[in-house]
Amino acid sequence: MKRADISRLVKDNIIIIALALPVILLTMTASGFMTVSNIKNIFIQISLYGIVAFAMTISIIGGEFDLSVSSLLGVVTILFTDIAKRVNVPVAILVCVSAGIVVGLINGFMVSKLKINAFVATLAMMLMLKGFALTYTNGRPINFPNPALNAFGNGDFLGMPNITLFFLGAFLITWYVLRNTKFGRNVYAAGGNLVVAKMVGINVDFYKTMLFVILGFATSVAGVLMAMRLSSGNTLFGGDLTMSVVAGVVIGGTSLSGGRGSAVKTFWGMLFIGVLFNGLQRLAVQANWQDVIKGSILIVVVSVDAILAQKIPLSQITTGRKRKEQISALPRDV
Amino acid sequence: MEVAARPKDSIKNRIVDILSNNAILFLMLLLVSVVAILYPRFLTLANFNNILNQISVIGCLACGMTFVLLIGCIDLSVGSMMSLIGIMAVTVANGGREWLAIILPILAAGAIGLIKGGIIAGVNGRLGESFITTYGAQSVLAALALIIQGGLFMMVTATGIFTRIGKGANPAYVFFALIVICQFILTKTSFGRKLLFVGSNPKAARLSGVNIKFYFLMAFMMCGLISGIAGVLLPSRVMSANPTAGTNYELEAIAACVVGGVSMKGGSGSFVNTLIGVIVIGVLSNSMNLLGLSSYPQMIVKGFVIALAFALDVVNKRRQMQRG
Amino acid sequence: MKKLLALILTSILIVSCFAVASAEAPAARKVFFTNAFFTAPFCAPLNAQAMATAAENNIELTIVDGQADASVQLDQIKTAIDQGYDGIIYFPADAAGSITIVNTLNESGIAYAIIDSKVDASVAETIPVFAGPDNVEMGRVAGRACVEQIGENAKVVCLMGSAGTDPATNRQKGFEEIISQYPGIEILAAQNVDGWDPAIAMSIMQDYITRFGDEIEFLFTHDDGIFQGAQQAIAAAGLTGKIKAVSTGANNVGVAAIKSGELYGSVLHSAKEEGQLGVEAVIAVMDGEIKNGDQEWFKCMSPLVTLENVAEWEGWGW
């Protein structure tokens, strides 16, 4: 193995090394960190957001971005509790999943057909969804004390929390789709270089729309599970969803400029966030300082990621100056 | 054939052009007339003053945000910056040094902007990097705003100049002055033209010898300085500082810019766009308040207007491109 | 490599935090407090008083930010139970979201107390103790003060707290309960102030004045900060003294306004008292004096503070 190969291996798996350090240190210092119940806790904490994080990974690889998931999650919890109360649970699940897909389709339509910038389109959607849910409920959360559903949302299956099984399922599906299917390859292509993707005949509009549909679907699943877990619906649930999820994806090493990243990276990224939050609480760090630490870590990680991202492709492209210029002249769709 | 077709649709086209170029303004005029019929008090000088007073703080923030958007970035931390600056300003003002309370926080805000710009320039970041970095900064600044005075609500006990700058029409004067100065810098100086160049195509700008890092630094510093001004105006307007006062203001500021027609891709837009956007959103909120609409349906309307403004803009551009 | 370096530094930071934490004296009982509105100005003195009361009783208190999100609070409480705290103080983000959390607390067998906002009716009978104000009663006190001030024929506007929160809902409920007994009193408008933000309150008040002009005779606000914002609009319109006002909170902001005559009165909601009662409540549960299902209420006082008795109550707020 050459020295360069080792250095590349380290760079590619930096998040695992980064994760190992706090884990070792916390195991040594915070009593009860390395226990089955605490590890379970960490996984429970990241499971629901994690489901959305994998969908967001696909979307960021495909070069798009969605601010509206945070509002959608709240809307889904409201819809689920309200309909489950008035009609029944299967109908509620059906309506919620359809709502997620419809919101995704509208976002996708705005971005791919109306050519509205994804940030603006999903910002508008975020406001509209939140306004809709708050108007509908007049700002009041809805309670739904149903012991069976609550037991499902908080229960275990073969020692694994149910919601963590959903998280692992989402991970495996995303991993498989991105790695082994034509769809996955085309998402990488569309996010990596829009112009080239169009030239080789990929239906870019379809893929862009699908990114939002997948996100809508994943968010609705997470929303239904959250409503079951908390026995209630609230517009404010998931207020920090978008940012936590994007942070997890980026910390894992998926590039915000599109075309690069993987489900495995996001898995480690979310786990890093879970360990960090759990560790900060276990060490009883004062709440305001927790925010300072979290914010600083985000800035550092993204900065370093951006620097590394610039260095790797340049060293890969060794076919001369002309090619480099050609590639850099192509527009990048952020 | 093409020549023959021209004169025929030119009159029609000209009207369509005027309408579509200013679609959002015409929609606003429509809204104003409807509200004025329902509430004659809408068209009074007093209400006009109210609207100016209500939009000025957000207006200043949007003005700073425009610099960052023009260069192709975004700053999500201006809201928490405003909270932090407000607490700093009131702390100093209550200590008796009122001029210092105005100048010092604004300079501090400029310095914070410079740091953010330094990070973005250092990593050659654009929209994506600035999005995450300034989100991190938001979390840090919001926490600092809570830490420095223990999270308390602060009353303004000063009685001099600091309490006057936010009263009556003063914030509006500050806002309009900022728009005029910034528009002048953007259109009449080489700094402004290069800023737009860097925003529209940083790589081309670098190849043609522009020091692009300098422009990223300056854009974020201007954004910092101007959000510092907003941060000083706010406590003076409401006579108190709340450590969470600026929460979500950044999204309002971005919405105003976007509605006015500043592009999120960088390099396109001006402070006149920002002015239009701020006025449209301000008049919209004021009318909805007068119509007795609670803040929740207002959110739906705002979201719809943002999407509509952008869609109109895109349709308009496409139409113009088709006609060449 | 820089990333690695950065993360090593982070880890060192985390460990050094622990070093500080572990240096404290052992022996003390440990209590965990998840505060849903940690960053609200009201909670700054509440947190401080809770810390002070805990220290007096040889209790090591850890306060975390519940981020107004039941999901976050559930995770925090599960971790805290796992960590083996002796007691938990729970400040619910909202009633509906408290169901799972209260069930989790009951199942774990840990000693706990609810403060400030009530839990959902479906689990209310299982809790040991609630420390907080009677928001409906606070609204009633304000309603009576309103009638006393403006008589039985008047026009009123209200600026309410963030929608969906327990105080906003119940203060308005109590207020309207009294007002509805007088058909001559009309509520012209009542709007929620998002995030209890004085700047938003000011804008809404400006628009009320445009809409109703000098018809407005009375203003009821759910918080002194909201009143403080609204007062700027009233003063700018030259209506100080013409619009009578009653607020809730009676903190430093309210007391100053009462002294200057801008505000007739404010119904006390003492953050300090609430912080102290919360800690005392959890101690009573840890000592076995109160058991789950007892539904004790450590009630905060809610007198109307006016110019007459302001000296007596000054400093109870914050």
Side-chain angles (χ1 to χ4, degrees):
Chain A
M1 223 180 193
K2 282 186 214 154
R3 198 160 163 246
D5 289 341
I6 298 173
S7 133
R8 150 129 326 170
L9 198 69
V10 171
K11 265 181 191 168
D12 283 351
N13 298 297
I14 196 110
I15 182 67
I16 302 176
I17 303 164
L19 184 61
L21 271 166
V23 167
I24 295 167
L25 291 169
L26 282 163
T27 310
M28 291 186 323
T29 53
S31 64
F33 178 80
M34 249 324 169
T35 58
V36 175
S37 62
N38 191 47
I39 291 167
K40 231 167 141 180
N41 264 336
I42 293 176
F43 271 99
I44 289 174
Q45 281 173 29
I46 62 172
S47 288
L48 295 179
Y49 279 21
I51 295 171
V52 183
F54 291 122
M56 190 66 94
T57 311
I58 302 180
S59 145
I60 288 177
I61 290 173
E64 293 301 340
F65 182 79
D66 190 345
L67 280 175
S68 67
V69 289
S70 60
S71 291
L72 180 60
L73 189 85
V75 170
V76 168
T77 61
I78 292 279
L79 273 180
F80 178 79
T81 42
D82 194 47
I83 296 171
K85 249 179 159 172
R86 289 167 193 239
V87 194
N88 58 38
V89 175
V91 173
I93 294 177
L94 203 67
V95 171
C96 287
V97 173
S98 324
I101 292 174
V102 169
V103 168
L105 278 173
I106 298 172
N107 279 335
F109 176 77
M110 287 197 286
V111 172
S112 64
K113 292 289 178 209
L114 296 181
K115 309 285 177 209
I116 302 180
N117 178 299
F119 186 92
V120 179
T122 55
L123 173 71
M125 180 55 85
M126 178 183 98
L127 283 171
M128 287 192 278
L129 283 174
K130 197 161 200 170
F132 159 76
L134 287 167
T135 310
Y136 182 66
T137 60
N138 197 17
R140 289 194 182 88
I142 300 175
N143 66 347
F144 182 57
N146 180 323
L149 287 186
N150 191 251
F152 179 78
N154 293 293
D156 286 3
F157 180 76
L158 299 176
M160 285 274 249
N162 291 336
I163 55 171
T164 303
L165 291 173
F166 278 87
F167 168 76
L168 293 176
F171 166 58
L172 289 175
I173 294 169
T174 312
W175 177 77
Y176 181 80
V177 166
L178 282 176
R179 221 179 126 91
N180 296 325
T181 65
K182 190 177 155 223
F183 181 87
R185 282 192 297 278
N186 286 348
V187 167
Y188 277 101
N193 196 318
L194 202 62
V195 178
V196 172
K198 272 182 186 158
M199 283 194 310
V200 299
I202 296 172
N203 181 354
V204 173
D205 286 357
F206 167 77
Y207 283 94
K208 296 265 170 190
T209 309
M210 282 311 288
L211 301 178
F212 290 100
V213 172
I214 294 170
L215 259 172
F217 173 76
T219 310
S220 63
V221 171
V224 168
L225 290 172
M226 183 170 272
M228 289 182 181
R229 181 166 184 247
L230 295 167
S231 305
S232 66
N234 187 336
T235 325
L236 298 177
F237 284 167
D240 61 341
L241 175 70
T242 311
M243 298 316 294
S244 307
V245 160
V246 173
V249 172
V250 172
I251 286 177
T254 294
S255 162
L256 269 172
S257 30
R260 271 198 314 270
S262 74
V264 180
K265 285 185 158 63
T266 299
F267 180 88
W268 292 116
M270 288 307 285
L271 200 57
F272 180 80
I273 289 191
V275 167
L276 180 72
F277 283 22
N278 184 278
L280 287 173
Q281 186 183 331
R282 283 193 166 259
L283 298 174
V285 177
Q286 206 265 335
N288 288 328
W289 289 106
Q290 287 198 17
D291 281 345
V292 174
I293 294 173
K294 286 175 198 166
S296 313
I297 286 178
L298 205 54
I299 294 174
V300 170
V301 169
V302 173
S303 306
V304 175
D305 181 64
I307 292 168
L308 288 181
Q310 282 159 13
K311 283 185 181 150
I312 292 176
L314 286 182
S315 63
Q316 277 174 341
I317 302 162
T318 49
T319 43
R321 196 182 145 78
K322 203 176 168 190
R323 165 105 190 268
K324 228 191 276 181
E325 269 174 15
Q326 258 175 3
I327 287 173
S328 62
L330 290 169
R332 268 196 336 193
D333 196 81
V334 179
Chain B
M1 211 179 104
E2 207 196 353
V3 180
R6 277 251 159 125
K8 201 182 161 193
D9 53 40
S10 79
I11 300 165
K12 197 185 94 194
N13 265 344
R14 206 173 292 167
I15 297 169
V16 175
D17 264 358
I18 294 172
L19 277 175
S20 59
N21 282 340
N22 301 295
I24 202 75
L25 277 179
F26 282 107
L27 284 176
M28 195 185 79
L29 279 178
L30 189 72
L31 176 81
V32 165
S33 5
V34 172
V35 180
I37 292 165
L38 290 171
Y39 285 94
R41 282 194 189 120
F42 179 75
L43 282 184
T44 56
L45 193 64
N47 192 45
F48 184 69
N49 281 337
N50 277 348
I51 296 179
L52 285 182
N53 187 278
Q54 288 164 8
I55 64 173
S56 297
V57 172
I58 281 288
C60 292
L61 219 51
C63 189
M65 185 68 80
T66 307
F67 274 106
V68 178
L69 291 179
L70 285 178
I71 203 138
C73 291
I74 197 167
D75 191 341
L76 295 175
S77 64
V78 292
S80 45
M81 176 108 107
M82 215 169 83
S83 312
L84 178 64
I85 296 304
I87 294 282
M88 278 172 67
V90 176
T91 308
V92 180
N94 286 355
R97 301 177 177 216
E98 300 198 17
W99 276 108
L100 197 66
I102 296 169
I103 295 160
L104 189 70
I106 295 176
L107 292 179
I112 296 172
L114 211 53
I115 295 172
K116 285 187 284 194
I119 295 172
I120 308 288
V123 304
N124 279 328
R126 292 206 73 196
L127 189 61
E129 288 79 9
S130 63
F131 186 86
I132 298 285
T133 312
T134 57
Y135 173 63
Q138 179 192 70
S139 164
V140 173
L141 294 175
L144 289 179
L146 286 160
I147 289 168
I148 53 172
Q149 285 289 350
L152 284 170
F153 185 94
M154 297 179 74
M155 291 248 282
V156 176
T157 55
T159 49
I161 175 76
F162 185 78
T163 63
R164 286 198 297 275
I165 50 167
K167 291 286 155 54
N170 291 348
Y173 294 143
V174 174
F175 171 48
F176 289 131
L178 276 174
I179 290 284
V180 171
I181 294 168
C182 294
Q183 182 68 9
F184 177 82
I185 294 176
L186 189 72
T187 54
K188 303 282 179 219
T189 66
S190 91
F191 173 82
R193 282 189 294 271
K194 281 186 184 157
L195 187 84
L196 283 175
F197 185 25
V198 173
S200 62
N201 194 337
K203 275 167 192 148
R206 190 174 54 204
L207 289 175
S208 62
V210 178
N211 180 2
I212 64 167
K213 295 203 168 169
F214 171 75
Y215 288 89
F216 277 92
L217 269 176
M218 290 316 279
F220 275 90
M221 195 201 68
M222 289 306 281
C223 176
L225 273 180
I226 298 174
S227 42
I229 295 175
V232 171
L233 285 178
L234 184 72
S236 170
R237 175 174 176 248
V238 295
M239 292 296 280
S240 63
N242 180 338
T244 55
T247 315
N248 290 337
Y249 272 55
E250 62 278 350
L251 289 179
E252 300 251 344
I254 294 169
C257 294
V258 169
V259 166
V262 179
S263 162
M264 295 284 298
K265 284 186 179 150
S268 151
S270 75
F271 291 90
V272 175
N273 290 126
T274 307
L275 180 66
I276 292 173
V278 169
I279 292 176
V280 168
I281 296 248
V283 170
L284 198 66
S285 303
N286 177 268
S287 327
M288 289 191 289
N289 277 346
L290 290 183
L291 292 173
L293 222 58
S294 80
S295 50
Y296 301 143
Q298 287 194 17
M299 258 185 216
I300 306 180
V301 177
K302 265 187 205 165
F304 185 72
V305 168
I306 293 171
L308 185 71
F310 216 87
L312 284 173
D313 191 42
V314 170
V315 170
N316 192 26
K317 274 185 190 137
R318 205 182 288 176
R319 215 173 49 83
Q320 279 171 353
M321 259 163 63
Q322 276 167 2
R323 286 176 40 219
Chain C
M1 280 310 95
K2 282 181 190 168
K3 191 169 190 171
L4 188 61
L5 187 69
L7 288 153
I8 292 173
L9 286 176
T10 311
S11 310
I12 293 172
L13 197 62
I14 295 175
V15 174
S16 54
C17 294
F18 177 73
V20 176
S22 63
E24 283 163 21
R29 285 191 288 188
K30 284 162 82 178
V31 171
F32 181 80
F33 174 15
T34 167
N35 184 336
F37 300 98
F38 183 88
T39 59
F42 173 81
C43 287
L46 189 154
N47 293 338
Q49 182 61 45
M51 286 302 251
T53 308
E56 282 165 21
N57 291 285
N58 193 26
I59 282 173
E60 203 180 285
L61 184 68
T62 306
I63 309 180
V64 296
D65 183 359
Q67 296 166 27
D69 189 333
S71 171
V72 172
Q73 291 193 294
L74 178 59
D75 291 336
Q76 289 170 338
I77 284 177
K78 279 193 166 176
T79 305
I81 293 169
D82 189 55
Q83 275 180 277
Y85 276 98
D86 299 298
I88 289 181
I89 303 175
Y90 168 40
F91 184 146
D94 66 90
S98 66
I99 301 171
T100 306
I101 296 178
V102 173
N103 287 335
T104 306
L105 287 166
N106 286 337
E107 279 160 27
S108 73
I110 198 167
Y112 71 96
I114 314 284
I115 77 163
D116 190 88
S117 301
K118 292 193 171 171
V119 297
D120 193 72
S122 65
V123 289
E125 287 174 4
T126 65
I127 65 156
V129 56
F130 168 69
D134 184 344
N135 281 306
V136 181
E137 181 57 27
M138 287 171 72
R140 287 192 200 112
V141 172
R144 283 182 212 115
C146 166
V147 176
E148 193 183 299
Q149 275 292 295
I150 55 174
E152 296 187 8
N153 287 296
K155 289 184 171 148
V156 176
V157 292
C158 308
L159 288 172
M160 309 185 285
S162 268
T165 56
D166 181 50
T169 311
N170 287 323
R171 283 174 196 172
Q172 192 66 13
K173 192 174 154 194
F175 183 76
E176 287 180 8
E177 190 183 305
I178 300 293
I179 296 301
S180 62
Q181 295 165 11
Y182 302 90
I185 302 182
E186 185 192 346
I187 297 182
L188 292 170
Q191 204 164 323
N192 289 103
V193 178
D194 271 355
W196 311 74
D197 181 350
I200 295 177
M202 179 177 174
S203 295
I204 298 177
M205 193 66 207
Q206 284 174 336
D207 293 337
Y208 276 170
I209 292 172
T210 308
R211 224 167 120 195
F212 304 113
D214 39 21
E215 274 183 66
I216 306 169
E217 292 167 71
F218 186 84
L219 166 71
F220 172 47
T221 57
H222 284 192
D223 176 59
D224 289 344
I226 292 180
F227 169 76
Q228 203 267 342
Q231 172 58 29
Q232 304 310 313
I234 294 172
L239 292 170
T240 308
K242 286 188 187 136
I243 298 178
K244 302 243 178 353
V246 166
S247 178
T248 42
N251 54 42
N252 290 348
V253 180
V255 165
I258 289 169
K259 283 183 176 168
S260 72
E262 292 165 348
L263 181 64
Y264 167 66
S266 188
V267 185
L268 182 74
H269 179 199
S270 168
K272 286 180 190 164
E273 187 191 18
E274 191 172 297
Q276 183 184 340
L277 289 180
V279 174
E280 284 171 3
V282 80
I283 292 172
V285 182
M286 286 193 294
D287 291 346
E289 289 162 19
I290 299 175
K291 294 184 299 296
N292 286 7
D294 283 358
Q295 301 174 59
E296 292 278 338
W297 188 344
F298 286 24
K299 203 180 282 190
C300 297
M301 291 175 292
S302 47
L304 180 70
V305 179
T306 60
L307 204 52
E308 285 165 26
N309 61 358
V310 66
E312 192 184 332
W313 295 106
E314 200 176 349
W316 272 87
W318 43 268

